[in-house]
Coordinates of all heavy atoms in Angstrom, one line a residue:
M8 N 65.4 -23.7 -26.9 CA 65.3 -24.2 -25.5 C 66.5 -25.0 -25.2 O 66.8 -26.0 -25.9 CB 64.0 -25.0 -25.3 CG 63.9 -25.6 -23.9 SD 62.5 -26.6 -23.7 CE 61.2 -25.3 -23.4
T9 N 67.3 -24.7 -24.2 CA 68.4 -25.4 -23.8 C 68.4 -25.7 -22.3 O 68.3 -24.7 -21.5 CB 69.8 -24.7 -24.1 OG1 69.7 -24.5 -25.5 CG2 70.9 -25.6 -23.8
I10 N 68.3 -26.9 -21.9 CA 68.3 -27.2 -20.5 C 69.7 -27.8 -20.2 O 70.4 -27.3 -19.4 CB 67.1 -28.2 -20.1 CG1 65.8 -27.5 -20.3 CG2 67.3 -28.7 -18.7 CD1 64.7 -28.4 -20.1
V11 N 70.1 -28.8 -21.0 CA 71.4 -29.4 -20.9 C 71.8 -29.9 -22.3 O 71.0 -30.4 -23.0 CB 71.3 -30.6 -20.0 CG1 72.8 -31.3 -20.0 CG2 71.1 -30.2 -18.5
G12 N 73.1 -29.6 -22.7 CA 73.6 -30.1 -24.0 C 73.2 -29.2 -25.1 O 73.2 -28.0 -25.0
T13 N 72.9 -29.8 -26.3 CA 72.7 -29.1 -27.5 C 71.4 -28.3 -27.4 O 70.4 -28.9 -27.0 CB 72.6 -30.1 -28.7 OG1 73.8 -30.9 -28.6 CG2 72.6 -29.4 -30.1
P14 N 71.4 -27.1 -27.9 CA 70.1 -26.3 -27.9 C 69.1 -27.0 -28.8 O 69.3 -27.6 -29.8 CB 70.5 -25.0 -28.5 CG 71.9 -24.9 -28.4 CD 72.4 -26.3 -28.4
K15 N 67.8 -27.0 -28.4 CA 66.7 -27.6 -29.1 C 65.7 -26.5 -29.5 O 65.6 -25.6 -28.8 CB 65.9 -28.6 -28.2 CG 66.8 -29.6 -27.5 CD 67.2 -30.7 -28.5 CE 67.9 -31.8 -27.8 NZ 69.2 -32.1 -28.1
K16 N 65.1 -26.7 -30.6 CA 64.0 -25.8 -31.0 C 62.7 -26.3 -30.5 O 62.3 -27.4 -30.9 CB 63.9 -25.6 -32.6 CG 65.1 -24.9 -33.1 CD 64.9 -24.5 -34.5 CE 66.0 -23.7 -35.0 NZ 65.6 -22.5 -35.8
A17 N 62.1 -25.5 -29.6 CA 60.8 -26.0 -28.9 C 60.2 -24.8 -28.4 O 60.8 -23.8 -28.0 CB 61.2 -26.9 -27.8
K18 N 58.8 -24.9 -28.3 CA 58.0 -23.8 -27.8 C 56.9 -24.5 -27.0 O 56.4 -25.5 -27.4 CB 57.4 -23.0 -28.9 CG 58.3 -22.0 -29.5 CD 57.6 -20.8 -30.1 CE 58.7 -19.9 -30.7 NZ 58.3 -18.6 -30.9
Q19 N 56.7 -24.0 -25.8 CA 55.6 -24.5 -25.0 C 54.5 -23.5 -25.0 O 54.7 -22.3 -24.8 CB 56.0 -24.7 -23.6 CG 54.9 -25.3 -22.7 CD 55.4 -25.6 -21.3 OE1 56.2 -26.5 -21.1 NE2 55.0 -24.8 -20.4
Y20 N 53.3 -24.0 -25.3 CA 52.1 -23.1 -25.3 C 51.2 -23.4 -24.2 O 51.0 -24.6 -23.8 CB 51.3 -23.3 -26.7 CG 52.1 -22.9 -27.8 CD1 52.9 -23.8 -28.6 CD2 52.1 -21.6 -28.3 CE1 53.7 -23.4 -29.7 CE2 52.9 -21.1 -29.4 CZ 53.7 -22.1 -30.1 OH 54.5 -21.7 -31.1
V21 N 50.5 -22.4 -23.7 CA 49.5 -22.6 -22.7 C 48.2 -22.3 -23.4 O 48.0 -21.1 -23.9 CB 49.8 -21.6 -21.4 CG1 48.6 -21.8 -20.4 CG2 51.1 -22.0 -20.8
V22 N 47.3 -23.2 -23.5 CA 46.0 -23.1 -24.3 C 44.9 -23.3 -23.4 O 44.9 -24.3 -22.6 CB 46.1 -23.9 -25.5 CG1 47.1 -23.5 -26.4 CG2 46.1 -25.4 -25.1
G23 N 43.9 -22.5 -23.5 CA 42.6 -22.8 -22.7 C 41.6 -21.7 -22.9 O 41.9 -20.7 -23.4
N24 N 40.4 -22.0 -22.3 CA 39.3 -21.1 -22.5 C 38.8 -21.0 -21.0 O 38.4 -22.0 -20.4 CB 38.3 -21.6 -23.4 CG 37.0 -20.7 -23.5 OD1 36.6 -20.1 -22.6 ND2 36.4 -20.8 -24.7
P25 N 38.8 -19.8 -20.4 CA 38.3 -19.6 -19.0 C 36.9 -20.1 -18.8 O 36.6 -20.7 -17.8 CB 38.5 -18.1 -18.8 CG 39.4 -17.7 -19.8 CD 39.3 -18.5 -21.0
L26 N 36.0 -20.0 -19.8 CA 34.7 -20.5 -19.7 C 34.6 -22.0 -19.5 O 33.8 -22.5 -18.8 CB 33.8 -20.0 -20.9 CG 33.7 -18.5 -21.0 CD1 32.9 -18.2 -22.3 CD2 33.1 -17.9 -19.7
I27 N 35.5 -22.7 -20.2 CA 35.5 -24.2 -20.1 C 36.1 -24.5 -18.7 O 35.7 -25.4 -18.1 CB 36.3 -24.8 -21.3 CG1 35.5 -24.6 -22.6 CG2 36.5 -26.3 -21.0 CD1 36.1 -25.1 -23.8
A28 N 37.1 -23.8 -18.3 CA 37.8 -24.1 -17.0 C 36.8 -23.9 -15.9 O 36.7 -24.7 -15.0 CB 39.0 -23.2 -16.8
I29 N 35.9 -22.9 -16.0 CA 34.9 -22.7 -15.0 C 33.8 -23.8 -15.0 O 33.5 -24.3 -13.9 CB 34.1 -21.3 -15.3 CG1 35.0 -20.2 -15.0 CG2 32.8 -21.3 -14.5 CD1 34.5 -18.8 -15.4
Q30 N 33.6 -24.4 -16.2 CA 32.7 -25.6 -16.2 C 33.2 -26.7 -15.4 O 32.4 -27.4 -14.8 CB 32.5 -26.0 -17.7 CG 31.7 -25.1 -18.6 CD 31.6 -25.6 -20.0 OE1 32.0 -26.7 -20.3 NE2 31.0 -24.8 -20.9
M31 N 34.5 -26.9 -15.4 CA 35.1 -28.0 -14.7 C 35.3 -27.7 -13.2 O 34.9 -28.4 -12.3 CB 36.4 -28.4 -15.3 CG 36.2 -29.1 -16.6 SD 37.7 -29.7 -17.3 CE 38.6 -28.2 -17.8
T32 N 35.9 -26.4 -12.9 CA 36.2 -26.1 -11.6 C 35.0 -25.9 -10.6 O 35.0 -26.0 -9.4 CB 37.1 -24.9 -11.4 OG1 36.5 -23.8 -12.1 CG2 38.4 -25.1 -12.1
Q33 N 33.8 -25.6 -11.3 CA 32.6 -25.5 -10.4 C 32.2 -26.9 -9.9 O 31.5 -27.0 -8.9 CB 31.5 -24.8 -11.2 CG 30.9 -25.7 -12.3 CD 29.8 -24.9 -13.1 OE1 29.5 -23.8 -12.8 NE2 29.2 -25.6 -14.1
H34 N 32.6 -28.0 -10.6 CA 32.3 -29.3 -10.1 C 33.5 -29.9 -9.2 O 33.2 -30.7 -8.4 CB 32.0 -30.2 -11.3 CG 30.9 -29.9 -12.1 ND1 29.6 -29.9 -11.6 CD2 30.8 -29.3 -13.4 CE1 28.8 -29.5 -12.6 NE2 29.5 -29.1 -13.5
D35 N 34.7 -29.4 -9.4 CA 35.8 -29.9 -8.7 C 36.9 -28.9 -8.8 O 37.6 -28.8 -9.9 CB 36.3 -31.4 -9.2 CG 37.2 -32.0 -8.2 OD1 38.0 -31.3 -7.6 OD2 37.2 -33.2 -8.1
I36 N 37.2 -28.2 -7.8 CA 38.2 -27.2 -7.8 C 39.6 -27.7 -8.2 O 40.4 -27.0 -8.7 CB 38.4 -26.4 -6.4 CG1 39.1 -25.1 -6.6 CG2 38.9 -27.4 -5.4 CD1 38.6 -24.1 -7.5
R37 N 39.9 -29.0 -8.0 CA 41.2 -29.6 -8.3 C 41.5 -29.5 -9.9 O 42.6 -29.6 -10.3 CB 41.3 -31.0 -7.9 CG 41.3 -31.2 -6.3 CD 41.2 -32.5 -5.9 NE 40.1 -33.2 -6.3 CZ 39.8 -34.5 -6.3 NH1 40.8 -35.3 -5.8 NH2 38.7 -35.0 -6.7
A38 N 40.4 -29.3 -10.7 CA 40.6 -29.2 -12.1 C 41.4 -28.0 -12.4 O 42.1 -28.0 -13.4 CB 39.3 -29.2 -12.8
A39 N 41.5 -27.1 -11.6 CA 42.4 -25.9 -11.8 C 43.8 -26.2 -11.9 O 44.6 -25.5 -12.4 CB 42.1 -24.9 -10.7
L40 N 44.2 -27.4 -11.4 CA 45.6 -27.8 -11.5 C 46.1 -28.0 -12.9 O 47.2 -27.8 -13.3 CB 45.8 -29.2 -10.8 CG 45.8 -29.3 -9.3 CD1 45.8 -30.7 -8.8 CD2 47.1 -28.6 -8.8
Y41 N 45.1 -28.3 -13.8 CA 45.4 -28.6 -15.2 C 44.8 -27.7 -16.3 O 45.0 -27.9 -17.4 CB 45.2 -30.1 -15.6 CG 45.9 -31.0 -14.6 CD1 45.2 -31.7 -13.6 CD2 47.2 -31.3 -14.7 CE1 45.8 -32.5 -12.7 CE2 47.9 -32.0 -13.8 CZ 47.2 -32.7 -12.8 OH 47.8 -33.5 -12.0
A42 N 44.2 -26.7 -15.7 CA 43.6 -25.7 -16.7 C 44.3 -24.4 -16.5 O 44.3 -23.9 -15.3 CB 42.1 -25.6 -16.5
P43 N 44.9 -23.8 -17.5 CA 44.9 -24.2 -18.9 C 45.8 -25.4 -19.2 O 46.7 -25.7 -18.3 CB 45.4 -22.9 -19.6 CG 46.1 -22.1 -18.6 CD 45.5 -22.6 -17.3
L44 N 45.6 -25.9 -20.4 CA 46.4 -27.0 -20.8 C 47.8 -26.6 -21.3 O 47.9 -25.4 -21.7 CB 45.7 -27.8 -22.0 CG 44.4 -28.3 -21.5 CD1 43.6 -28.8 -22.8 CD2 44.5 -29.5 -20.6
R45 N 48.8 -27.5 -21.4 CA 50.1 -27.1 -22.0 C 50.4 -28.1 -23.2 O 50.1 -29.2 -23.1 CB 51.2 -27.4 -20.9 CG 51.0 -26.4 -19.7 CD 51.9 -26.6 -18.6 NE 53.2 -27.3 -18.8 CZ 54.0 -27.5 -17.9 NH1 53.9 -27.0 -16.7 NH2 55.1 -28.2 -18.2
V46 N 50.9 -27.5 -24.2 CA 51.3 -28.1 -25.4 C 52.7 -27.8 -25.8 O 53.1 -26.6 -25.7 CB 50.3 -27.7 -26.5 CG1 50.7 -28.4 -28.0 CG2 48.9 -28.0 -26.2
L47 N 53.5 -28.7 -26.1 CA 54.9 -28.6 -26.5 C 55.1 -28.9 -28.0 O 54.7 -30.0 -28.4 CB 55.8 -29.5 -25.6 CG 57.3 -29.4 -26.0 CD1 57.9 -28.1 -25.5 CD2 58.1 -30.5 -25.3
V48 N 55.6 -27.9 -28.7 CA 56.0 -28.2 -30.1 C 57.4 -28.1 -30.2 O 58.0 -27.2 -29.8 CB 55.3 -27.1 -31.0 CG1 55.7 -27.3 -32.5 CG2 53.8 -27.1 -30.8
Y49 N 58.0 -29.2 -30.9 CA 59.5 -29.2 -30.9 C 60.0 -29.8 -32.2 O 59.3 -30.6 -32.9 CB 60.1 -30.0 -29.7 CG 59.8 -31.5 -29.7 CD1 60.7 -32.3 -30.2 CD2 58.6 -31.9 -29.1 CE1 60.4 -33.7 -30.1 CE2 58.4 -33.2 -29.0 CZ 59.3 -34.1 -29.5 OH 59.0 -35.5 -29.5
K50 N 61.2 -29.5 -32.6 CA 61.8 -30.1 -33.7 C 62.8 -31.1 -33.3 O 63.7 -30.9 -32.4 CB 62.6 -29.0 -34.6 CG 63.1 -29.5 -35.9 CD 63.9 -28.4 -36.7 CE 62.9 -27.6 -37.4 NZ 63.6 -26.7 -38.4
A51 N 62.8 -32.3 -33.8 CA 63.6 -33.4 -33.4 C 64.9 -33.4 -34.3 O 65.1 -32.6 -35.2 CB 63.0 -34.7 -33.7
A52 N 65.8 -34.2 -33.9 CA 67.2 -34.2 -34.6 C 67.1 -34.4 -36.1 O 67.8 -34.0 -36.9 CB 68.1 -35.2 -33.9
D53 N 66.0 -35.3 -36.5 CA 65.7 -35.5 -37.9 C 65.0 -34.4 -38.6 O 64.6 -34.6 -39.8 CB 65.1 -36.9 -38.1 CG 63.7 -36.9 -37.6 OD1 63.2 -35.8 -37.0 OD2 63.0 -38.0 -37.7
Q54 N 64.8 -33.3 -38.0 CA 64.1 -32.2 -38.5 C 62.6 -32.3 -38.5 O 61.9 -31.4 -39.0 CB 64.7 -31.7 -39.9 CG 66.2 -31.4 -39.8 CD 66.5 -30.3 -38.8 OE1 65.9 -29.2 -38.8 NE2 67.4 -30.6 -37.9
S55 N 62.0 -33.4 -38.1 CA 60.6 -33.5 -37.9 C 60.1 -32.7 -36.9 O 60.8 -32.5 -35.8 CB 60.2 -35.0 -37.7 OG 60.7 -35.8 -38.7
V56 N 58.9 -32.2 -37.0 CA 58.3 -31.4 -35.9 C 57.2 -32.2 -35.2 O 56.4 -32.9 -35.9 CB 57.6 -30.1 -36.5 CG1 56.9 -29.4 -35.4 CG2 58.7 -29.2 -37.2
Y57 N 57.2 -32.2 -33.9 CA 56.2 -33.0 -33.1 C 55.4 -32.1 -32.2 O 55.9 -31.0 -31.8 CB 57.0 -34.0 -32.3 CG 57.7 -35.1 -33.1 CD1 59.0 -34.9 -33.5 CD2 57.0 -36.2 -33.5 CE1 59.7 -35.8 -34.3 CE2 57.6 -37.1 -34.3 CZ 58.9 -37.0 -34.7 OH 59.6 -37.9 -35.4
V58 N 54.2 -32.5 -31.9 CA 53.4 -31.8 -30.9 C 53.1 -32.8 -29.8 O 52.6 -34.0 -30.1 CB 52.1 -31.4 -31.6 CG1 51.2 -30.7 -30.5 CG2 52.3 -30.5 -32.7
E59 N 53.4 -32.5 -28.6 CA 53.2 -33.3 -27.5 C 52.3 -32.7 -26.5 O 52.4 -31.4 -26.2 CB 54.5 -33.5 -26.6 CG 55.6 -34.3 -27.5 CD 55.3 -35.8 -27.5 OE1 54.7 -36.4 -26.6 OE2 55.8 -36.5 -28.4
Y60 N 51.3 -33.5 -25.9 CA 50.4 -33.0 -25.0 C 49.8 -34.1 -24.2 O 49.8 -35.3 -24.7 CB 49.3 -32.1 -25.7 CG 48.5 -32.9 -26.7 CD1 47.4 -33.6 -26.4 CD2 49.0 -33.0 -28.0 CE1 46.7 -34.4 -27.4 CE2 48.4 -33.7 -29.0 CZ 47.2 -34.4 -28.7 OH 46.6 -35.1 -29.7
D61 N 49.2 -33.9 -23.1 CA 48.5 -34.9 -22.4 C 47.0 -34.7 -22.8 O 46.5 -33.6 -22.8 CB 48.6 -34.7 -20.8 CG 50.0 -35.1 -20.4 OD1 50.6 -36.1 -20.8 OD2 50.5 -34.2 -19.6
L62 N 46.3 -35.9 -23.0 CA 44.9 -35.8 -23.3 C 44.2 -35.2 -22.1 O 44.4 -35.7 -20.9 CB 44.3 -37.1 -23.6 CG 44.5 -37.6 -25.0 CD1 44.0 -39.0 -25.2 CD2 43.9 -36.7 -26.0
P63 N 43.4 -34.2 -22.2 CA 42.6 -33.6 -21.1 C 41.9 -34.6 -20.3 O 41.9 -34.6 -19.0 CB 41.7 -32.6 -21.8 CG 42.5 -32.2 -23.0 CD 43.1 -33.5 -23.5
S64 N 41.3 -35.7 -21.0 CA 40.6 -36.6 -20.2 C 41.4 -37.5 -19.2 O 41.0 -37.9 -18.2 CB 39.7 -37.5 -21.1 OG 40.7 -38.2 -22.0
S65 N 42.8 -37.6 -19.6 CA 43.6 -38.3 -18.8 C 44.0 -37.5 -17.5 O 44.2 -37.9 -16.4 CB 44.9 -38.9 -19.4 OG 45.7 -37.8 -19.8
L66 N 44.2 -36.1 -17.7 CA 44.5 -35.3 -16.7 C 43.3 -35.0 -15.7 O 43.5 -35.2 -14.4 CB 44.9 -33.9 -17.2 CG 46.3 -33.8 -18.1 CD1 46.4 -32.5 -18.7 CD2 47.5 -34.2 -17.2
F67 N 42.2 -34.8 -16.3 CA 41.1 -34.4 -15.5 C 40.3 -35.6 -14.9 O 39.5 -35.6 -14.0 CB 40.1 -33.5 -16.2 CG 40.7 -32.2 -16.5 CD1 41.1 -31.8 -17.8 CD2 41.0 -31.2 -15.6 CE1 41.6 -30.6 -18.2 CE2 41.6 -30.0 -15.9 CZ 41.9 -29.7 -17.2
G68 N 40.4 -36.7 -15.7 CA 39.7 -38.0 -15.3 C 40.1 -38.5 -13.9 O 39.3 -39.3 -13.4
Q69 N 41.3 -38.2 -13.5 CA 41.8 -38.7 -12.2 C 41.0 -38.3 -11.1 O 41.0 -38.9 -10.0 CB 43.3 -38.3 -12.0 CG 43.4 -36.8 -11.8 CD 44.8 -36.4 -11.6 OE1 45.5 -36.9 -10.7 NE2 45.3 -35.5 -12.4
F70 N 40.1 -37.3 -11.2 CA 39.3 -36.7 -10.2 C 38.1 -37.6 -9.9 O 37.3 -37.4 -8.9 CB 39.0 -35.3 -10.3 CG 40.3 -34.4 -10.5 CD1 40.4 -33.6 -11.6 CD2 41.2 -34.5 -9.6 CE1 41.5 -32.9 -11.7 CE2 42.4 -33.7 -9.7 CZ 42.5 -32.9 -10.8
G71 N 37.7 -38.4 -10.9 CA 36.5 -39.2 -10.7 C 35.2 -38.5 -10.7 O 34.3 -39.0 -10.1
N72 N 35.2 -37.4 -11.4 CA 33.9 -36.6 -11.3 C 33.4 -36.7 -12.8 O 34.0 -36.2 -13.7 CB 34.3 -35.2 -11.0 CG 33.0 -34.3 -10.9 OD1 32.3 -34.0 -11.8 ND2 32.8 -33.6 -9.7
A73 N 32.2 -37.2 -12.9 CA 31.6 -37.4 -14.2 C 31.4 -36.1 -15.0 O 31.6 -36.1 -16.2 CB 30.3 -38.1 -14.1
E74 N 31.1 -35.0 -14.3 CA 30.8 -33.7 -15.0 C 32.2 -33.2 -15.6 O 32.2 -32.7 -16.7 CB 30.2 -32.8 -14.1 CG 28.8 -33.1 -13.8 CD 27.9 -33.2 -15.0 OE1 27.9 -32.4 -15.9 OE2 27.0 -34.2 -15.1
V75 N 33.2 -33.3 -14.8 CA 34.5 -32.9 -15.2 C 35.0 -33.7 -16.3 O 35.6 -33.2 -17.3 CB 35.5 -32.8 -14.0 CG1 37.0 -32.5 -14.4 CG2 35.1 -31.8 -12.9
T76 N 34.8 -35.0 -16.2 CA 35.3 -35.9 -17.3 C 34.6 -35.7 -18.5 O 35.2 -35.7 -19.7 CB 35.2 -37.4 -16.8 OG1 36.0 -37.6 -15.6 CG2 35.6 -38.4 -17.9
K77 N 33.4 -35.4 -18.4 CA 32.5 -35.1 -19.7 C 33.1 -33.9 -20.4 O 33.3 -33.9 -21.7 CB 31.1 -34.9 -19.3 CG 30.2 -34.5 -20.4 CD 28.7 -34.3 -19.9 CE 27.9 -33.6 -20.9 NZ 26.5 -33.3 -20.4
V78 N 33.4 -32.8 -19.7 CA 34.0 -31.6 -20.3 C 35.4 -32.0 -20.9 O 35.8 -31.6 -22.0 CB 34.1 -30.4 -19.3 CG1 34.8 -29.3 -20.0 CG2 32.6 -30.1 -18.9
A79 N 36.1 -32.7 -20.1 CA 37.5 -33.1 -20.5 C 37.5 -33.9 -21.8 O 38.4 -33.6 -22.7 CB 38.3 -33.8 -19.4
K80 N 36.6 -34.8 -22.0 CA 36.6 -35.6 -23.2 C 36.2 -34.7 -24.4 O 36.6 -34.9 -25.5 CB 35.5 -36.8 -23.0 CG 36.0 -37.8 -22.2 CD 35.1 -39.0 -22.1 CE 35.6 -40.1 -21.3 NZ 34.9 -41.4 -21.2
S81 N 35.3 -33.7 -24.2 CA 35.1 -32.7 -25.4 C 36.3 -32.0 -25.6 O 36.6 -31.6 -26.8 CB 33.9 -31.9 -24.9 OG 34.3 -30.8 -24.0
L82 N 37.2 -31.7 -24.7 CA 38.4 -31.0 -24.9 C 39.4 -31.9 -25.7 O 40.1 -31.4 -26.5 CB 39.1 -30.5 -23.5 CG 38.5 -29.4 -22.9 CD1 39.2 -29.1 -21.6 CD2 38.6 -28.1 -23.8
D83 N 39.4 -33.2 -25.4 CA 40.2 -34.1 -26.2 C 40.0 -33.9 -27.7 O 40.9 -33.7 -28.4 CB 39.9 -35.6 -25.9 CG 40.3 -36.1 -24.5 OD1 41.0 -35.4 -23.8 OD2 40.0 -37.2 -24.2
L84 N 38.7 -34.0 -28.0 CA 38.3 -33.9 -29.4 C 38.7 -32.5 -30.0 O 39.3 -32.4 -31.1 CB 36.8 -34.1 -29.5 CG 36.3 -34.1 -31.0 CD1 36.9 -35.2 -31.7 CD2 34.8 -34.4 -31.0
K85 N 38.5 -31.4 -29.2 CA 38.9 -30.1 -29.7 C 40.4 -29.9 -30.0 O 40.8 -29.4 -31.0 CB 38.4 -29.0 -28.7 CG 36.9 -28.8 -28.7 CD 36.5 -27.8 -27.7 CE 35.0 -27.7 -27.7 NZ 34.5 -26.6 -26.8
L86 N 41.1 -30.5 -29.0 CA 42.6 -30.4 -29.1 C 43.1 -31.3 -30.3 O 43.9 -30.7 -31.1 CB 43.2 -30.9 -27.9 CG 44.7 -30.7 -27.7 CD1 45.2 -29.2 -27.8 CD2 45.2 -31.1 -26.3
V87 N 42.6 -32.4 -30.5 CA 43.0 -33.3 -31.6 C 42.7 -32.7 -33.0 O 43.4 -32.6 -33.9 CB 42.4 -34.7 -31.4 CG1 42.6 -35.5 -32.7 CG2 43.0 -35.5 -30.3
N88 N 41.4 -32.1 -33.0 CA 41.1 -31.4 -34.2 C 41.8 -30.2 -34.6 O 42.1 -29.9 -35.8 CB 39.5 -31.0 -34.2 CG 38.6 -32.2 -34.3 OD1 39.0 -33.3 -34.8 ND2 37.4 -32.1 -33.7
L89 N 42.2 -29.4 -33.5 CA 43.0 -28.2 -33.8 C 44.3 -28.6 -34.3 O 44.8 -28.0 -35.3 CB 43.2 -27.5 -32.4 CG 44.1 -26.3 -32.5 CD1 43.7 -25.2 -33.4 CD2 44.3 -25.8 -31.1
I90 N 44.9 -29.6 -33.7 CA 46.3 -30.0 -34.2 C 46.2 -30.6 -35.6 O 47.0 -30.2 -36.4 CB 46.9 -31.0 -33.2 CG1 47.3 -30.3 -31.9 CG2 48.2 -31.7 -33.8 CD1 47.6 -31.1 -30.8
A91 N 45.1 -31.3 -35.9 CA 45.0 -31.8 -37.3 C 44.8 -30.6 -38.3 O 45.3 -30.7 -39.4 CB 43.8 -32.7 -37.3
K92 N 44.0 -29.6 -37.9 CA 43.9 -28.4 -38.8 C 45.2 -27.8 -39.1 O 45.5 -27.3 -40.2 CB 42.9 -27.5 -38.2 CG 41.4 -27.9 -38.4 CD 40.4 -26.9 -37.8 CE 39.1 -27.4 -37.9 NZ 38.1 -26.4 -37.5
V93 N 46.0 -27.5 -38.0 CA 47.3 -26.9 -38.1 C 48.1 -27.8 -39.0 O 48.9 -27.2 -39.9 CB 47.9 -26.7 -36.8 CG1 49.4 -26.2 -36.9 CG2 47.1 -25.6 -36.0
D94 N 48.2 -29.0 -38.8 CA 49.0 -30.0 -39.7 C 48.6 -29.9 -41.1 O 49.4 -29.8 -42.0 CB 48.9 -31.4 -39.1 CG 49.9 -32.3 -39.8 OD1 51.1 -32.0 -39.9 OD2 49.5 -33.4 -40.1
K95 N 47.3 -29.9 -41.4 CA 46.7 -29.9 -42.7 C 47.1 -28.5 -43.4 O 47.5 -28.5 -44.5 CB 45.2 -30.1 -42.7 CG 44.6 -30.1 -44.0 CD 43.1 -30.4 -44.0 CE 42.5 -30.5 -45.3 NZ 41.1 -30.6 -45.3
F96 N 47.0 -27.4 -42.6 CA 47.3 -26.1 -43.1 C 48.8 -26.0 -43.5 O 49.2 -25.6 -44.5 CB 47.0 -25.0 -42.1 CG 47.5 -23.7 -42.5 CD1 46.8 -23.0 -43.4 CD2 48.7 -23.1 -42.0 CE1 47.2 -21.7 -43.8 CE2 49.1 -21.8 -42.4 CZ 48.4 -21.1 -43.2
N97 N 49.7 -26.5 -42.6 CA 51.1 -26.5 -42.8 C 51.5 -27.4 -44.1 O 52.4 -27.0 -44.8 CB 51.9 -27.0 -41.7 CG 52.0 -25.9 -40.6 OD1 51.9 -24.8 -40.9 ND2 52.1 -26.3 -39.3
L98 N 50.8 -28.5 -44.2 CA 51.1 -29.4 -45.4 C 50.7 -28.7 -46.7 O 51.4 -28.7 -47.6 CB 50.2 -30.7 -45.3 CG 51.1 -31.9 -45.4 CD1 51.1 -32.7 -44.1 CD2 50.5 -32.7 -46.5
S99 N 49.5 -28.0 -46.7 CA 49.1 -27.2 -47.9 C 50.1 -26.1 -48.2 O 50.3 -25.8 -49.4 CB 47.7 -26.8 -47.8 OG 47.5 -25.8 -46.8
Q100 N 50.6 -25.4 -47.2 CA 51.5 -24.3 -47.4 C 52.8 -24.9 -47.9 O 53.4 -24.2 -48.8 CB 51.8 -23.6 -46.1 CG 50.6 -22.8 -45.6 CD 50.0 -21.7 -46.5 OE1 50.8 -21.0 -47.1 NE2 48.7 -21.7 -46.7
S101 N 53.3 -26.0 -47.4 CA 54.5 -26.6 -48.0 C 54.4 -27.0 -49.5 O 55.2 -26.8 -50.3 CB 54.9 -27.9 -47.2 OG 55.1 -27.6 -45.9
T102 N 53.1 -27.5 -49.8 CA 52.9 -27.9 -51.2 C 52.9 -26.7 -52.1 O 53.4 -26.7 -53.2 CB 51.6 -28.6 -51.3 OG1 51.5 -29.7 -50.3 CG2 51.3 -29.1 -52.7
K103 N 52.3 -25.6 -51.7 CA 52.3 -24.3 -52.4 C 53.7 -23.8 -52.7 O 53.9 -23.3 -53.8 CB 51.4 -23.2 -51.8 CG 49.9 -23.5 -51.8 CD 49.1 -22.5 -51.0 CE 47.7 -22.8 -50.9 NZ 46.9 -21.8 -50.2
Q104 N 54.4 -23.8 -51.6 CA 55.8 -23.3 -51.7 C 56.7 -24.2 -52.6 O 57.6 -23.7 -53.4 CB 56.5 -23.2 -50.4 CG 55.9 -22.1 -49.5 CD 56.3 -22.1 -48.1 OE1 57.3 -22.8 -47.7 NE2 55.8 -21.2 -47.3
A105 N 56.4 -25.5 -52.6 CA 57.2 -26.4 -53.5 C 56.8 -26.3 -55.0 O 57.6 -26.6 -55.8 CB 57.1 -27.9 -53.0
G106 N 55.6 -26.0 -55.2 CA 55.0 -26.0 -56.5 C 55.2 -24.8 -57.3 O 55.9 -24.0 -57.6

């Protein structure tokens, strides 16, 4: 990805489940602004890899709808757990390759 300057290694992912989006949009159509979610994975100058995302509860919580916020908080946990699993998998793969 190059916008200006030196090319960067980065990928943006769009992640979501239409059934979960329906759970939120049936309570507040504005939830469609942020469903599906976006996640950015990039390599920094020091070669570290980072995952950037907005917590769903912060995006959807702005609507002040308790039902939407409840679903969004469950998405927070799912997203954090998914990233932790990928990180753990990558760590175990690195260990296998080094050993």
